[in-house]
Amino acid sequence: DAKTTQPTSMDCAEGRAANLPCNHSTISGNEYVYWYRQIHSQGPQYIIHGLKNNETNEMASLIITEDRKSSTLILPHATLRDTAVYYCIVRSALFGNEKLTFGTGTRLTIIP
Amino acid sequence: GAVVSQHPSRVICKSGTSVKIECRSLDFQATTMFWYRQFPKQSLMLMATSNEGSKATYEQGVEKDKFLINHASLTLSTLTVTSAHPEDSSFYICSARDSKLIFPYEQYFGPGTRLTVT
């Protein structure tokens, strides 16, 4: 699976949109971009995933660049409960390759 | 959404004893479950893939005789840490995928088990 690069940490004011970038310049055509987050001392929580089109759900939006080499996770109105480590993961669609490989992620702190 | 539970949430054991951690999918069937380990201030590291009715697949560097995995039913996988030592103290997390779903699908994670070996 392609590697990802994320900033180590970010701050965002409560109520503002949090934009978390992720670089995945070696992504291949059959690889999806997944986002998970982990609140302190809990198991990771699935947020969203996408292949090449932008995606939106009740939690967030995922914007993938046209060349697919980078993406941005957007939390539209950040709350204090969004403070967590956010992981961007690239995952192959090949049969049998189900593993999620976690990098170091971005520690997002929401400031009151 | 789909729920994965783990039991116990915390366990303290003495060095040399064995500890069993359970991972259950509560509202879906999971032919495949995954076990991760996370040390303080580090990311999750995949230990092994647990397959219902067959042997687990271990990642490189993970001792299969020390971390015994059993996936005896479509809703339960267990991880047994045998002859535990203080360096096995960690946060153990399982995840599962719904067998009915085809790729792409999300994995659902349990809340984790904090193991402390004294």
Side-chain angles (χ1 to χ4, degrees), chain B residues 88-109:
Chain B
D88 298 323
S89 297
S90 188
F91 193 47
Y92 292 85
I93 307 168
C94 71
S95 72
R97 76 161 181 93
D98 189 330
S99 301
K100 293 199 194 77
L101 300 180
I102 59 172
F103 201 96
Y105 46 77
E106 61 264 36
Q107 288 183 19
Y108 306 105
F109 284 80

Side-chain angles (χ1 to χ4, degrees), chain A residues 34-54:
Chain A
Y34 280 74
W35 284 84
Y36 283 79
R37 73 180 181 184
Q38 186 178 26
I39 295 169
H40 183 63
S41 293
Q42 296 183 24
Q45 177 188 22
Y46 165 81
I47 302 173
I48 199 167
H49 71 268
L51 182 62
K52 53 184 178 181
N53 297 322
N54 297 338

Side-chain angles (χ1 to χ4, degrees), chain B residues 31 39 47 84 87 101:
Chain B
T31 52
F39 292 109
M47 299 175 66
E87 56 265 32
L101 300 180

Side-chain angles (χ1 to χ4, degrees), chain A residues 4 6 20-22 33-39 42-45 47-48 73 84-90 101-107, chain B residues 38-39 41-45:
Chain A
T4 61
Q6 299 177 250
L20 291 91
C22 179
V33 179
Y34 280 74
W35 284 84
Y36 283 79
R37 73 180 181 184
Q38 186 178 26
I39 295 169
Q42 296 183 24
Q45 177 188 22
I47 302 173
I48 199 167
L73 178 75
V85 178
Y86 286 76
Y87 296 98
C88 169
I89 299 168
V90 169
T101 302
F102 286 81
T104 52
T106 295
R107 183 171 297 278
Chain B
Q38 185 175 34
F39 292 109
K41 298 192 190 240
Q42 294 187 23
S43 188
L44 285 79
M45 294 295 294

